[in-house]
Amino acid sequence: MLMGKIRKLFEARGFVMGGSLDKNSREGALHKAWGHVFSNHLMGHYVEFGVYKGDSFVESHKQYSIFKKWLTSQTRSTEKWRRDVGVNFIESEVKFHGLDTFSGMPENDEENVTFGKGTFLAEISNVSSKCIASGMNKEKFYLYKGLFKDTESDLERNISNKVAIVNIDCDLYESAKDSFAIIEKYLQVGTVILCDDYNTFNADNRKGERRAFAEFTEKSQLKFEKWFAYQYSGQAFLCVDDSRL
């Protein structure tokens, strides 16, 4: 009990990092993803395709903030290299981008009642309020309403850097296919891709995110490796090579 209180005190002051590497959940996946980003000093934004009610979007910012607080403490280190790394990374621009129809699932051919047209309905105003209530700076996050391919130009106007983490949480093949097509030019070696519904549809290679990711990687000049599985159907990948360079 006492040790737990002491750890929370140190976490609050940024001397140690919170979170658990043992959590097989979306929270745990986002903690590992941001841990990878900060450990490697990878500059870039966070993009989420399929925001729904904003829980993962807000959780991602929470995990980012935990690591940022820790890195801020490194700027007070007696070692110059730690101070330099901390300052350079903290001063880099990180923004959060969330894309969703905000009118439920679009028309699709998946023939699955869970993902029928109109399911997973959420209001963009409610999500925005949740973000602000959680402490997110309204100038540091963007929500895009509409089909992914219809809001691509809006996303492009607001992204000023590469992407560090992509969260594909849209279930459907067509939606995932559009997600990969939109995000490809922003990916870099080290980017984390979280396919939240990779093993949905009984892990059928002919459906959903599995099919979209397989087709994407077959044509892309980027190379990926599996990293870890999480939750009930999620799979994380790392971009490990880029022949465009």
Side-chain angles (χ1 to χ4, degrees), residues 184 187-191 216 220-225 238-245:
E184 182 175 18
L187 302 182
Q188 58 185 315
V189 173
T191 296
F216 167 65
S220 179
Q221 292 180 283
L222 301 164
K223 300 298 180 185
F224 303 88
E225 289 182 359
L238 288 172
C239 181
V240 297
D241 194 15
D242 186 350
S243 59
R244 299 172 301 184
L245 301 176

Side-chain angles (χ1 to χ4, degrees), residues 2-3 8 18 58-59 66 69 90 116 118 124 128 138 140 144 172 180 183 195 203-204 218 233-234 240:
L2 178 60
M3 290 302 296
K8 287 183 179 179
V58 168
E59 182 63 38
I66 288 172
K69 183 180 290 186
I90 288 169
I124 189 171
S128 181
K138 62 182 179 180
K140 296 293 184 180
Y144 307 84
L172 307 176
F180 290 123
I183 208 65
C195 289
D204 190 336
E218 184 177 0
S233 57
V240 297

